[in-house]
Protein backbone atom coordinates (compact mmCIF):
# COMPACT_ATOMS: atom_id res chain seq x y z
CA UNK A 1 0.00 0.00 0.00
CA UNK A 2 1.28 3.45 -0.89
CA UNK A 3 0.66 6.14 1.70
CA UNK A 4 0.71 9.74 0.58
CA UNK A 5 1.37 12.33 3.26
CA UNK A 6 0.24 15.84 2.73
CA UNK A 7 1.97 18.47 4.74
CA UNK A 8 0.33 21.83 5.12
CA UNK A 9 2.52 24.75 6.08
CA UNK A 10 0.68 27.65 7.66
CA UNK A 11 2.50 30.95 7.52
CA UNK A 12 1.43 33.56 10.03
CA UNK A 13 2.39 37.03 8.98
CA UNK A 14 2.57 39.00 12.19
CA UNK A 15 2.71 42.77 11.95
CA UNK A 16 5.31 44.66 13.91
CA UNK A 17 3.73 45.64 17.25
CA UNK A 18 2.52 49.22 17.20
CA UNK A 19 3.94 49.88 20.65
CA UNK A 20 7.47 49.39 19.29
CA UNK A 21 7.13 52.58 17.31
CA UNK A 22 5.08 54.81 19.63
CA UNK A 23 6.89 57.03 22.14
CA UNK A 24 6.16 59.54 24.88
CA UNK A 25 8.28 62.19 23.21
CA UNK A 26 7.98 65.35 25.30
CA UNK A 27 5.96 66.79 28.18
CA UNK A 28 5.52 69.99 30.18
CA UNK A 29 4.09 70.37 33.68
CA UNK A 30 4.74 74.17 33.82
CA UNK A 31 3.08 75.53 30.71
CA UNK A 32 2.59 79.01 32.19
CA UNK A 33 2.56 81.09 29.00
CA UNK A 34 3.20 78.65 26.15
CA UNK A 35 0.75 76.86 23.89
CA UNK A 36 -2.96 77.23 24.66
CA UNK A 37 -5.64 74.58 24.36
CA UNK A 38 -8.95 75.18 22.59
CA UNK A 39 -10.38 76.66 25.80
CA UNK A 40 -7.67 79.32 25.93
CA UNK A 41 -5.92 77.68 28.90
CA UNK A 42 -2.21 77.01 29.36
CA UNK A 43 -2.68 73.38 30.34
CA UNK A 44 -0.03 70.76 31.02
CA UNK A 45 0.69 68.70 27.92
CA UNK A 46 2.11 65.39 26.71
CA UNK A 47 3.36 64.72 23.19
CA UNK A 48 3.38 61.32 21.46
CA UNK A 49 5.53 60.48 18.44
CA UNK A 50 5.10 57.68 15.91
CA UNK A 51 8.60 56.62 14.87
CA UNK A 52 7.38 53.84 12.58
CA UNK A 53 6.34 53.70 8.94
CA UNK A 54 2.77 52.61 9.70
CA UNK A 55 -0.09 54.59 11.27
CA UNK A 56 -1.08 53.70 14.83
CA UNK A 57 -4.73 53.68 15.89
CA UNK A 58 -4.90 54.61 19.57
CA UNK A 59 -8.40 53.24 20.21
CA UNK A 60 -8.18 51.21 23.40
CA UNK A 61 -4.82 52.67 24.46
CA UNK A 62 -4.25 54.49 27.74
CA UNK A 63 -2.24 57.23 29.46
CA UNK A 64 -1.63 57.41 33.18
CA UNK A 65 0.37 59.25 35.82
CA UNK A 66 -0.16 56.42 38.29
CA UNK A 67 1.86 53.23 37.79
CA UNK A 68 -0.70 51.29 39.82
CA UNK A 69 -3.45 52.32 37.39
CA UNK A 70 -2.28 51.81 33.79
CA UNK A 71 -5.80 52.31 32.36
CA UNK A 72 -6.41 55.65 34.05
CA UNK A 73 -7.34 57.56 30.88
CA UNK A 74 -8.42 56.05 27.55
CA UNK A 75 -7.52 57.68 24.23
CA UNK A 76 -10.38 58.75 21.97
CA UNK A 77 -10.39 57.24 18.44
CA UNK A 78 -7.33 58.86 16.97
CA UNK A 79 -4.66 57.71 14.52
CA UNK A 80 -1.07 58.95 14.63
CA UNK A 81 0.44 58.92 11.11
CA UNK A 82 3.99 57.67 10.42
CA UNK A 83 6.47 60.27 11.65
CA UNK A 84 3.58 62.21 13.17
CA UNK A 85 2.84 63.71 16.55
CA UNK A 86 -0.17 63.81 18.85
CA UNK A 87 -0.54 66.55 21.45
CA UNK A 88 -2.55 65.62 24.54
CA UNK A 89 -3.45 68.21 27.17
CA UNK A 90 -3.25 66.95 30.76
CA UNK A 91 -5.97 69.31 31.98
CA UNK A 92 -8.39 67.07 33.95
CA UNK A 93 -11.10 68.07 31.43
CA UNK A 94 -11.43 64.48 30.12
CA UNK A 95 -12.82 65.57 26.77
CA UNK A 96 -12.00 65.59 23.05
CA UNK A 97 -13.00 68.57 20.94
CA UNK A 98 -9.94 69.80 19.08
CA UNK A 99 -7.33 68.13 21.28
CA UNK A 100 -7.57 65.11 23.57
CA UNK A 101 -7.72 66.10 27.25
CA UNK A 102 -6.84 63.64 30.02
CA UNK A 103 -8.62 63.22 33.35
CA UNK A 104 -5.45 64.13 35.26
CA UNK A 105 -2.91 66.94 35.50
CA UNK A 106 0.87 66.68 35.76
CA UNK A 107 2.73 67.45 38.97
CA UNK A 108 5.21 70.33 38.68
CA UNK A 109 7.36 68.46 41.19
CA UNK A 110 7.84 65.51 38.84
CA UNK A 111 6.20 62.13 38.24
CA UNK A 112 6.18 59.17 35.85
CA UNK A 113 3.90 59.20 32.80
CA UNK A 114 3.01 55.85 31.30
CA UNK A 115 1.58 54.70 27.95
CA UNK A 116 -0.17 51.32 27.90
CA UNK A 117 -1.77 49.15 25.22
CA UNK A 118 -5.32 47.71 25.18
CA UNK A 119 -4.14 44.86 27.40
CA UNK A 120 -3.04 47.32 30.06
CA UNK A 121 0.66 46.58 29.53
CA UNK A 122 3.13 49.44 29.71
CA UNK A 123 4.72 50.16 26.35
CA UNK A 124 6.58 53.36 27.21
CA UNK A 125 7.23 55.55 30.24
CA UNK A 126 8.69 59.02 30.76
CA UNK A 127 10.05 60.04 34.18
CA UNK A 128 9.18 63.72 34.16
CA UNK A 129 11.36 65.73 36.57
CA UNK A 130 10.52 68.98 38.33
CA UNK A 131 10.48 71.77 35.73
CA UNK A 132 10.83 75.54 35.69
CA UNK A 133 8.02 77.54 34.10
CA UNK A 134 7.61 77.25 30.33
CA UNK A 135 10.17 74.47 30.06
CA UNK A 136 9.73 70.88 28.91
CA UNK A 137 11.46 67.53 29.13
CA UNK A 138 11.68 64.69 26.64
CA UNK A 139 13.68 62.87 24.02
CA UNK A 140 16.66 64.79 22.67
CA UNK A 141 15.94 63.32 19.24
CA UNK A 142 12.41 62.21 18.35
CA UNK A 143 11.89 58.61 19.43
CA UNK A 144 15.46 58.25 20.77
CA UNK A 145 16.55 57.11 24.22
CA UNK A 146 18.57 60.16 25.28
CA UNK A 147 16.57 62.65 27.37
CA UNK A 148 17.01 66.40 27.83
CA UNK A 149 15.57 69.55 29.36
CA UNK A 150 14.24 71.89 26.66
CA UNK A 151 14.60 75.64 27.03
CA UNK A 152 12.17 76.13 24.15
CA UNK A 153 9.39 73.50 24.15
CA UNK A 154 8.16 72.13 20.82
CA UNK A 155 4.63 70.77 21.39
CA UNK A 156 3.24 68.93 18.37
CA UNK A 157 6.54 69.39 16.51
CA UNK A 158 9.97 67.78 16.32
CA UNK A 159 12.39 67.98 19.26
CA UNK A 160 15.37 67.72 16.91
CA UNK A 161 17.55 70.78 17.29
CA UNK A 162 15.49 72.37 20.09
CA UNK A 163 17.61 74.43 22.54
CA UNK A 164 18.40 72.46 25.68
CA UNK A 165 19.80 73.28 29.10
CA UNK A 166 21.36 71.44 32.03
CA UNK A 167 21.74 71.99 35.76
CA UNK A 168 24.99 72.87 37.47
CA UNK A 169 26.41 70.35 39.92
CA UNK A 170 25.83 71.25 43.60
CA UNK A 171 28.71 73.24 45.11
CA UNK A 172 30.70 72.01 48.09
CA UNK A 173 30.76 73.91 51.39
CA UNK A 174 34.02 73.58 53.32
CA UNK A 175 34.45 72.65 56.06
CA UNK A 176 31.36 70.47 56.26
CA UNK A 177 28.73 70.75 58.96
CA UNK A 178 30.28 70.25 62.41
CA UNK A 179 30.70 71.79 65.86
CA UNK A 180 33.81 73.96 66.12
CA UNK A 181 35.42 75.55 69.18
CA UNK A 182 36.91 78.44 67.23
CA UNK A 183 36.21 80.73 64.27
CA UNK A 184 36.48 79.01 60.90
CA UNK A 185 36.99 80.23 57.35
CA UNK A 186 34.04 79.16 55.22
CA UNK A 187 34.78 78.22 51.62
CA UNK A 188 32.35 77.35 48.78
CA UNK A 189 33.76 75.58 45.72
CA UNK A 190 32.67 74.10 42.40
CA UNK A 191 34.53 72.28 39.64
CA UNK A 192 32.08 73.43 37.00
CA UNK A 193 33.23 76.29 34.81
CA UNK A 194 31.09 79.36 34.21
CA UNK A 195 29.05 79.12 37.42
CA UNK A 196 28.20 81.94 39.79
CA UNK A 197 28.07 80.86 43.45
CA UNK A 198 25.38 82.42 45.62
CA UNK A 199 24.72 81.66 49.28
CA UNK A 200 22.52 82.45 52.28
CA UNK A 201 23.21 82.35 56.03
CA UNK A 202 19.61 82.04 57.24
CA UNK A 203 18.73 78.62 55.85
CA UNK A 204 16.70 79.97 52.91
CA UNK A 205 17.22 78.72 49.35
CA UNK A 206 19.64 81.00 47.45
CA UNK A 207 18.19 82.80 44.43
CA UNK A 208 19.27 85.39 41.86
CA UNK A 209 19.41 88.14 44.50
CA UNK A 210 21.36 86.24 47.17
CA UNK A 211 24.92 87.16 48.14
CA UNK A 212 27.64 86.19 45.66
CA UNK A 213 30.56 84.16 47.02
CA UNK A 214 33.96 85.56 46.06
CA UNK A 215 36.41 84.30 48.70
CA UNK A 216 36.44 82.46 52.05
CA UNK A 217 35.11 84.43 55.02
CA UNK A 218 35.11 83.85 58.80
CA UNK A 219 32.23 82.35 60.77
CA UNK A 220 32.32 82.55 64.55
CA UNK A 221 28.80 81.46 65.55
CA UNK A 222 26.27 78.75 64.75
CA UNK A 223 25.05 79.42 61.20
CA UNK A 224 22.96 77.56 58.58
CA UNK A 225 24.70 77.95 55.22
CA UNK A 226 23.11 77.08 51.88
CA UNK A 227 24.72 77.56 48.47
CA UNK A 228 23.81 77.16 44.80
CA UNK A 229 25.81 77.19 41.59
CA UNK A 230 23.96 79.21 38.95
Amino acid sequence: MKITARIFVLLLLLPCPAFAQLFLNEASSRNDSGIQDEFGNHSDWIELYNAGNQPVNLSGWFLSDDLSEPKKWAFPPFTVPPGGFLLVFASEENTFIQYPHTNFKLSQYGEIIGLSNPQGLWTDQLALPSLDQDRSYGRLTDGDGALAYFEVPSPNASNNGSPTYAFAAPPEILPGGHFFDQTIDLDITTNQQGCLLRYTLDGSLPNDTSAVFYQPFPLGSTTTVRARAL
Side-chain angles (χ1 to χ4, degrees), residues 16 58 118 120 127 133 169 179 203 213:
C16 179
L58 289 173
Q133 64 181 34
F179 289 101
F213 178 83

Side-chain angles (χ1 to χ4, degrees), residues 89-103:
F89 283 104
S91 64
E92 286 187 334
E93 294 290 344
N94 194 26
T95 187
F96 177 39
I97 300 176
Q98 180 180 351
Y99 296 100
H101 287 253
T102 66
N103 56 2

Side-chain angles (χ1 to χ4, degrees), residues 122-190:
W122 297 115
T123 62
D124 194 27
Q125 294 180 359
L126 178 65
L128 187 66
S130 176
L131 294 174
D132 293 328
Q133 64 181 34
D134 293 321
R135 301 292 187 264
S136 65
Y137 184 78
R139 301 182 186 276
L140 182 60
T141 303
D142 298 330
D144 196 10
L147 300 170
Y149 292 87
F150 293 106
E151 185 176 356
V152 180
S154 56
N156 223 14
S158 176
N159 296 352
N160 301 352
S162 295
T164 62
Y165 66 98
F167 290 96
E172 184 177 7
I173 299 175
L174 300 172
H178 194 66
F179 289 101
F180 302 94
D181 56 7
Q182 60 185 5
T183 298
I184 63 167
D185 285 333
L186 185 81
D187 194 10
I188 304 175
T189 66
T190 179

Side-chain angles (χ1 to χ4, degrees), residues 20-226:
Q21 63 189 44
L22 203 59
F23 294 92
L24 295 169
N25 204 51
E26 188 182 0
S28 176
S29 58
R30 291 289 307 275
N31 178 29
D32 291 5
S33 61
I35 190 171
Q36 293 181 319
D37 60 24
E38 63 268 49
F39 306 112
N41 299 322
H42 298 284
S43 301
D44 304 337
W45 52 266
I46 304 166
E47 176 193 80
L48 274 70
Y49 172 65
N50 181 359
N53 55 14
Q54 297 293 326
V56 177
N57 188 330
L58 289 173
S59 295
W61 287 65
F62 302 89
L63 273 180
S64 180
D65 64 343
D66 185 347
L67 294 184
S68 67
E69 190 179 352
K71 294 186 176 183
K72 186 170 184 177
W73 177 78
F75 280 94
F78 199 96
T79 297
V80 186
F85 302 89
L86 173 64
L87 184 63
V88 178
F89 283 104
S91 64
E92 286 187 334
E93 294 290 344
N94 194 26
T95 187
F96 177 39
I97 300 176
Q98 180 180 351
Y99 296 100
H101 287 253
T102 66
N103 56 2
F104 60 87
K105 292 183 177 181
L106 301 178
S107 170
Q108 62 177 306
Y109 303 107
E111 61 181 335
I112 297 178
I113 308 167
L115 174 70
S116 61
N117 62 17
Q119 289 72 46
L121 301 176
W122 297 115
T123 62
D124 194 27
Q125 294 180 359
L126 178 65
L128 187 66
S130 176
L131 294 174
D132 293 328
Q133 64 181 34
D134 293 321
R135 301 292 187 264
S136 65
Y137 184 78
R139 301 182 186 276
L140 182 60
T141 303
D142 298 330
D144 196 10
L147 300 170
Y149 292 87
F150 293 106
E151 185 176 356
V152 180
S154 56
N156 223 14
S158 176
N159 296 352
N160 301 352
S162 295
T164 62
Y165 66 98
F167 290 96
E172 184 177 7
I173 299 175
L174 300 172
H178 194 66
F179 289 101
F180 302 94
D181 56 7
Q182 60 185 5
T183 298
I184 63 167
D185 285 333
L186 185 81
D187 194 10
I188 304 175
T189 66
T190 179
N191 293 325
Q192 194 159 348
Q193 299 295 318
C195 288
L196 183 67
L197 298 176
R198 291 187 180 271
Y199 68 94
T200 61
L201 301 179
D202 60 1
S204 62
L205 183 67
N207 56 34
D208 291 341
T209 63
S210 300
V212 177
F213 178 83
Y214 293 108
Q215 60 185 9
F217 59 88
L219 280 183
S221 61
T222 301
T223 306
T224 301
V225 182
R226 297 185 72 177

